[in-house]
Amino acid sequence: VCLAESHLGVSFWEKEMTSNSAGVPRLLAGGAFGDRVAEGFQMTRERHDGRLVGEDGRVVRWAMRMDPVLGWGSPAGTQRCSTTWLSHIPVFDPGYQVLMAKGTAEGWIEWEGRKYDLGGSSIYMEKVWGNAFPTKWFWLQCSYFPNHPDLALLSIGTTRRILSRTETIGMIAIQVGDELFEFSNWSAEALEWAAEWGSWEVSAETKRYRATVSARCTDPGTLLLGPSPNGMVPNCRDASRGDVTVRIVDVTSGAVVVEAASGECAVETGGDAAMWR
């Protein structure tokens, strides 16, 4: 972790381009990073640059500039803790926090020699890893709704360790412009889900609102390495083109407050692959 030009960031260099360019990892200008670092990455709130080489020799490079639109909570107010302020106490692990609910990115990603221009693509950022990664989880995230440009969705279900005890928690969070509709274990009267790869159904209710999220994905997804007590293992499946519908209803009047759909929802399951209710 380093501080440069009043920005807190992370810089990790596995290999430099030349053996005589010794120096401690530090934040570099985007172009300088690509010329200097053979393998590694750097990240601040506004930039992300990197170059990684797989065991098979394939290379991925990227250089992007990020423009945050929504953090967590009202854009004009103080940003909130995603899982309450208690998540900052070390007894809660992992300490989950959404850093950017919605933003845009300029720059590029290059994979196997082909460069993809980001051109204002929608982005999302969160901090999730801790000493004890969940043993089971699902995750839905979408920042692109064609008819609702100011809407962003996050829904999760996961395990969390508190000292020697493990608990199950979940959330539906729908941000519409300046307003955050949050339904979670600590704010909702009811919260339930049925989730397995290909199908996610989540519902929750407070004294004022009822929310439902329904997602589908026919793609088999990509199996990814995820953390476990035995190191990194293939225990996580992801896809980025899930179909999702979101609905919030006022329980008193029956009026529909939010209703939106997208075909570009990021979907994920992890840990035990069985149906989770």
Side-chain angles (χ1 to χ4, degrees), residues 11-276:
S11 185
F12 175 79
W13 302 357
E14 175 67 18
K15 299 175 183 176
E16 293 187 73
M17 288 296 191
T18 61
S19 58
N20 61 359
S21 60
V24 297
R26 58 192 178 279
L27 296 176
L28 302 173
F33 184 90
D35 294 336
R36 174 74 177 272
V37 183
E39 190 169 3
F41 62 87
Q42 65 176 13
M43 178 179 178
T44 69
R45 187 171 181 266
E46 292 86 14
R47 283 206 62 86
H48 203 323
D49 305 278
R51 185 178 191 272
L52 297 176
V53 182
E55 293 181 356
D56 57 3
R58 292 189 293 178
V59 177
V60 59
R61 301 190 306 137
W62 65 93
M64 65 180 75
R65 186 181 69 257
M66 302 175 290
D67 182 20
V69 176
L70 294 173
W72 191 254
S74 171
T78 301
Q79 297 303 286
R80 295 166 49 185
C81 299
S82 301
T83 52
T84 79
W85 64 270
L86 291 171
S87 63
H88 290 280
I89 300 175
V91 298
F92 290 90
D93 198 10
Y96 186 84
Q97 178 65 42
V98 176
L99 305 175
M100 188 190 304
K102 188 180 184 72
T104 58
E106 300 287 347
W108 51 268
I109 299 173
E110 184 182 273
W111 169 244
E112 294 189 317
R114 181 178 178 182
K115 187 172 287 188
Y116 299 86
D117 182 24
L118 296 177
S121 299
S122 181
I123 58 171
Y124 166 87
M125 188 185 302
E126 68 179 36
K127 181 270 177 190
V128 64
W129 287 29
N131 290 327
F133 202 75
T135 56
K136 189 178 182 72
W137 71 93
F138 74 84
W139 176 81
L140 305 171
Q141 196 282 321
C142 187
S143 299
Y144 176 73
F145 291 86
N147 298 322
H148 297 270
D150 62 344
L151 193 151
L153 163 72
L154 171 68
S155 183
I156 58 170
T158 186
T159 58
R160 178 170 70 174
R161 194 178 70 186
I162 305 175
L163 299 177
S164 60
R165 179 170 62 89
T166 298
E167 66 175 4
T168 298
I169 62 172
M171 176 192 294
I172 296 174
I174 301 167
Q175 188 142 359
V176 185
D178 291 352
E179 188 167 5
L180 175 64
F181 296 89
E182 181 187 277
F183 306 81
S184 62
N185 292 70
W186 48 91
S187 64
E189 297 183 326
L191 174 66
E192 58 185 17
W193 62 74
E196 63 179 346
W197 181 259
S199 175
W200 298 260
E201 298 288 342
V202 194
S203 62
E205 188 170 328
T206 65
K207 292 181 179 180
R208 185 173 180 183
Y209 299 110
R210 180 184 305 112
T212 56
V213 176
S214 179
R216 297 287 184 272
C217 184
T218 57
D219 191 304
T222 300
L223 190 62
L224 303 175
L225 293 176
S228 79
N230 300 314
M232 299 294 286
V233 297
N235 64 355
C236 178
R237 190 171 295 274
D238 271 85
S240 59
R241 292 298 179 97
D243 295 310
V244 66
T245 58
V246 179
R247 199 166 192 256
I248 299 178
V249 176
D250 187 305
V251 297
T252 303
S253 66
V256 176
V257 179
V258 175
E259 190 163 32
S262 176
E264 298 192 20
C265 182
V267 297
E268 179 178 282
T269 58
D272 183 359
M275 169 63 80
W276 192 16

